[in-house]
Amino acid sequence: MDTKNLRKISKEVRKDIIKMIYKANSGHPLGSLSSVEMFVALYFGIMNHHPKKPRWPLRDRLFVSHGHVCPAQYSVMAEAGYFPKAKLNTYAKLGSSLQGHPERKKLAGIEITSGSLGFGLAQAAGYALASRTDDKRFRVYCMTSDGEHDEGNHWEAILFTAKQKLSNLTLFVDRNRIQIGGPTKEVLSLGSLAEKYEAFGWNAIKIDGHDFEEIFDAVDEAKAHYQGPSVIIAETVAGKGVSFIEGKASWHAKHPNKEERDKALEEIKNG
Amino acid sequence: MLNKKLKLNKNILKRGVEKKSIRDGFGEGLVMAGEKDEQVIALTADLRNSTRVRAFSEKFPDRFFELGVAEQAMITVAAGMANYGKIPFTTSYAVFSPGRTFEQIKVTVCLNNVAVKIVGAHAGFGAGLYGATHQSFEDIALMRTVPNMVVVSPADAIEAKKATIAIAKNEKPTYLRLARQESPIMTTDKTPFVIGRAEKMWEDKDPQVAIIATGPILHEALKAAKTLQKTKIESLVINCHTIKPIDELTLIRAAKTTGCLVTVEEHQVNGGLGSAVSEVLSKNFPAPIEFVGMQDSFSESGDSKDLLEKYNITAADIVRAAKRAIRRKNAQG
């Protein structure tokens, strides 16, 4: 896999994220920027899919649980060819298929409506279980944030996924350590997520979530683990790529002004 | 008099009328739906017996999923399964699902628009002895506000069986409300059942009041009609088993024929059947309505029969409400 090209795409995606959030006066920069490499890796290397045939029955499925990072997903989908890049300008506007939080019924290629936290893994598990009973061979990927682990529904789903030994499901956790109210450690400390998942019967893999080699290796390891589900805990930097956004909880759902936009785009360009 | 066209149970108003729990009808219907369509699957949140999903789980063990006491996961897992193409029936008590799972239902079932069936057992006074935490009087209100949702509340075990088979085929998010107590069998296998169509169970020649009921309490409404008939008050009794989409045509016709109505439900009058009927009539044919049901209060522990008396939801209360409605109509001149 040529990671140089993927890094180039990631740069474009980061620029798109800033532009979209600026133009819409709305959006979530921290999580969108921290999850870029995972989305790029999924759409440009990991998933078996056809952008021109978004409903191809044998496609791998991606269930994004923390829908507020959709600027990243939309941008990567546009880069992959699901729709023209010009459509990104309509993000969150009236009549756009790019809703402020993604909706399955509005945009082909979005597998689930999300935005309300804690619901994604359970739906991915239901899907993976149903497809396994029908002996379907595609894989189900799910992505969550670390802050989302405050939700009880998610832990119910962690138990259920392990009980059903859903080895056809791989979960990414964007461990950017920031949520709306501040550092996850202060808001509701999660401790070691890897140890928690292992205690719940999962195969846990820790990686640097901005390193493509590590992402691909982790997915290969997850695929090779037949005994049950795997979680890839991706350590990331919230707001990655823009120095004045990185690690600052105040940027969870803040949109940049014109000056900040220009500064951010410059930094990404030179980064 | 009873509507002969509906081929109702001959013993419907006799002292020895047969009784059966509505949940048993659901349990039988689910097995039949499962036999007809292998996409039908069932989930429970540690309530396999009391929701009557056990028969299905034994007949189709590969299509049954135990979630543990985790209602939120049950709904969201089912949403994923329905997204794939399965027809999941999720089973719990109505207080827990849809009670606890409202947002999961709104977002992952209805906004996704996937055909998950929410089966809420022990609704109304059936869980009387368990006390207020286990009695659901808010579920109809919750479910009928959500776009894309169909709301069905069968009146007896036979109707519950038919409703279960029907909703397995409707390809829509659907709430099925079940009662626990042994309740009178009013219909027969030959009685028609169509989602969205209310049925006139009792129709006198010149009815002065229409009584609209949902769920097993329909039997009290029929007893009330019989009592009213003895005092020369003619009436119409409608089984409104589908609360959404509601049968507007039948309700408007009933209001035009009688000029006043009584709604009867084991549910809060705020937001339930009474509200649904009011919304239709205030737009189309305003008429006095009396509301028999829970009057914005919690219930308490007790036998369901005693509780119905305490909270004024008996045939005698319906008779009084009918007379009040007629007085209000006449006062309007």
Side-chain angles (χ1 to χ4, degrees):
Chain A
M1 185 65 59
D2 175 13
T3 59
K4 195 178 158 201
N5 185 43
L6 299 182
R7 284 199 297 276
K8 202 175 133 207
I9 294 169
S10 302
K11 218 170 210 192
E12 288 307 306
V13 170
R14 285 204 161 83
K15 284 194 238 168
D16 284 340
I17 290 169
I18 295 296
K19 288 184 205 164
M20 286 164 81
I21 295 176
Y22 169 75
K23 196 163 173 33
N25 281 328
S26 170
H28 297 76
L30 285 181
S32 299
L33 291 167
S34 65
S35 58
V36 168
E37 280 78 12
M38 283 181 278
F39 278 117
V40 171
L42 280 160
Y43 281 95
F44 285 90
I46 297 165
M47 290 201 297
N48 196 10
H49 68 124
H50 291 305
K52 297 294 173 206
K53 290 189 221 158
R55 295 186 180 86
W56 177 48
L58 295 179
R59 70 191 183 280
D60 288 337
R61 269 66 165 178
L62 173 60
F63 285 65
V64 180
S65 188
H66 56 326
H68 61 269
V69 302
C70 59
Q73 187 180 12
Y74 291 154
S75 171
V76 176
M77 286 174 77
E79 290 283 346
Y82 278 85
F83 50 81
K85 278 195 74 166
K87 198 183 236 186
L88 297 176
N89 292 321
T90 68
Y91 163 62
K93 303 279 189 209
L94 184 64
S96 175
S97 53
L98 309 186
Q99 292 286 295
H101 286 88
E103 283 192 32
R104 167 177 179 256
K105 287 287 178 179
K106 302 267 189 191
L107 182 64
I110 294 292
E111 303 288 357
I112 52 161
T113 296
S114 63
S116 183
L117 296 177
F119 299 167
L121 176 60
Q123 291 180 79
Y127 205 103
L129 179 55
S131 65
R132 190 180 68 186
T133 57
D134 283 1
D135 203 21
K136 292 281 161 60
R137 298 301 167 92
F138 55 78
R139 293 191 66 80
V140 177
Y141 294 95
C142 180
M143 202 193 295
T144 69
S145 66
D146 50 0
E148 194 167 8
H149 286 70
D150 295 359
E151 293 281 5
N153 200 153
H154 187 69
W155 290 98
E156 293 180 4
I158 289 171
L159 283 168
F160 182 75
T161 308
K163 171 189 169 176
Q164 296 293 343
K165 298 185 166 49
L166 295 173
S167 58
N168 55 344
L169 184 152
T170 304
L171 173 67
F172 284 89
V173 178
D174 183 3
R175 186 74 164 114
N176 67 22
R177 297 179 184 267
I178 297 282
Q179 58 195 105
I180 298 181
T184 53
K185 207 167 150 185
E186 289 173 19
V187 176
L188 188 61
S189 182
L190 297 166
S192 166
L193 277 180
E195 283 175 23
K196 284 188 169 68
Y197 273 95
E198 278 164 2
F200 277 71
W202 286 59
N203 174 41
I205 307 159
K206 281 168 78 168
I207 62 162
D208 172 350
H210 299 302
D211 184 318
F212 284 109
E213 299 287 353
E214 289 196 25
I215 296 173
F216 292 129
D217 285 350
V219 169
D220 286 343
E221 191 186 328
K223 281 181 177 171
H225 181 77
Y226 288 101
Q227 296 89 333
S230 294
V231 58
I232 297 168
I233 295 166
E235 290 285 350
T236 61
V237 176
K240 170 81 173 173
V242 183
S243 62
F244 58 94
I245 296 180
E246 279 184 8
K248 294 199 176 62
S250 59
W251 277 94
H252 171 82
K254 187 178 159 187
H255 56 88
N257 61 29
K258 193 164 181 302
E259 194 186 324
E260 288 163 337
R261 178 200 67 175
D262 293 343
K263 203 175 153 199
L265 291 175
E266 189 65 23
E267 275 196 24
I268 293 165
K269 196 177 132 197
N270 299 329
Chain B
M1 65 182 71
L2 289 162
N3 184 351
K4 292 207 172 85
K5 282 186 203 155
L6 293 184
K7 300 188 165 48
L8 299 172
N9 179 6
K10 278 179 284 185
N11 299 326
I12 185 168
L13 286 170
K14 290 184 183 152
R15 199 173 289 269
V17 60
E18 304 86 340
K19 287 188 173 182
K20 186 170 174 176
S21 172
I22 283 179
R23 62 180 171 165
D24 289 321
F26 160 70
E28 291 165 19
L30 188 61
V31 170
M32 290 165 79
E35 285 165 348
K36 282 183 187 168
D37 188 343
E38 63 179 23
Q39 297 305 318
V40 171
I41 57 174
L43 299 82
T44 196
D46 204 16
L47 289 171
R48 195 185 304 206
N49 280 332
S50 53
T51 61
R52 294 298 189 260
V53 76
R54 176 172 281 284
F56 183 95
S57 74
E58 285 168 355
K59 178 137 193 182
F60 306 108
D62 296 341
R63 287 153 58 187
F64 172 76
F65 305 95
E66 172 62 77
L67 273 291
V69 198
E71 297 80 10
Q72 303 172 79
M74 176 173 70
I75 297 301
T76 41
V77 164
M81 292 169 147
N83 190 329
Y84 172 83
K86 299 289 177 188
I87 305 167
F89 279 72
T90 62
T91 58
S92 182
Y93 294 165
V95 282
F96 309 134
S97 182
R100 180 180 299 218
T101 57
F102 177 78
E103 199 202 358
Q104 283 83 358
I105 292 169
K106 177 187 159 183
V107 175
T108 71
V109 177
C110 291
L111 189 54
N112 263 327
N113 202 9
V114 291
V116 174
K117 315 301 167 183
I118 317 292
V119 181
H122 290 30
F125 287 105
L129 297 169
Y130 294 168
T133 57
H134 281 57
Q135 298 163 358
S136 182
F137 299 108
E138 299 80 18
D139 48 304
I140 292 173
L142 285 172
M143 289 297 93
R144 77 184 192 87
T145 59
V146 192
N148 295 334
M149 183 61 88
V150 171
V151 179
V152 180
S153 160
D156 69 14
I158 292 174
E159 192 165 274
K161 182 173 73 183
K162 291 178 202 157
T164 304
I165 294 165
I167 69 172
K169 291 188 287 201
N170 74 346
E171 299 181 348
K172 288 177 183 161
T174 306
Y175 176 51
L176 182 67
R177 184 179 214 240
L178 303 179
R180 174 180 186 266
Q181 68 272 30
E182 299 283 306
S183 60
I185 297 286
M186 294 176 267
T187 63
T188 64
D189 282 328
K190 288 179 180 159
T191 307
F193 175 87
V194 179
I195 296 170
R197 196 175 83 195
E199 300 289 355
K200 280 184 272 187
M201 303 286 284
W202 175 286
E203 191 173 20
D204 290 320
K205 269 188 188 147
D206 184 19
Q208 300 170 50
V209 59
I211 304 168
I212 322 291
T214 196
I217 203 72
L218 173 68
H219 195 251
E220 292 296 302
L222 291 168
K223 278 159 64 183
K226 196 176 171 188
T227 305
L228 286 166
Q229 192 185 45
K230 281 181 191 155
T231 58
K232 303 275 193 288
I233 297 173
E234 300 202 341
S235 68
L236 178 61
V237 178
I238 290 173
N239 174 13
C240 193
H241 53 63
T242 307
I243 292 158
K244 187 184 177 188
I246 202 156
D247 186 348
E248 298 198 0
L249 196 63
T250 297
L251 293 175
I252 294 164
R253 277 186 186 154
K256 284 183 175 170
T257 306
T258 63
C260 67
L261 305 94
V262 176
T263 59
V264 187
E265 58 196 307
E266 282 183 65
H267 188 277
Q268 302 289 356
V269 296
N270 308 333
L273 172 72
S275 295
V277 171
S278 304
E279 287 157 17
V280 173
L281 296 183
S282 58
K283 265 191 290 190
N284 297 284
F285 192 83
I289 307 179
E290 289 289 322
F291 303 97
V292 175
M294 290 302 282
Q295 307 291 333
D296 196 21
S297 73
F298 287 112
S299 173
E300 61 199 279
S301 291
D303 181 74
S304 66
K305 193 169 164 291
D306 294 338
L307 290 170
L308 285 167
E309 276 176 23
K310 168 151 187 185
Y311 291 94
N312 305 315
I313 314 178
T314 66
D317 297 302
I318 298 166
V319 166
R320 279 191 283 275
K323 288 178 179 171
R324 279 198 305 275
I326 293 167
R327 273 202 302 278
R328 286 172 59 200
K329 171 177 67 172
N330 292 341
Q332 287 179 345

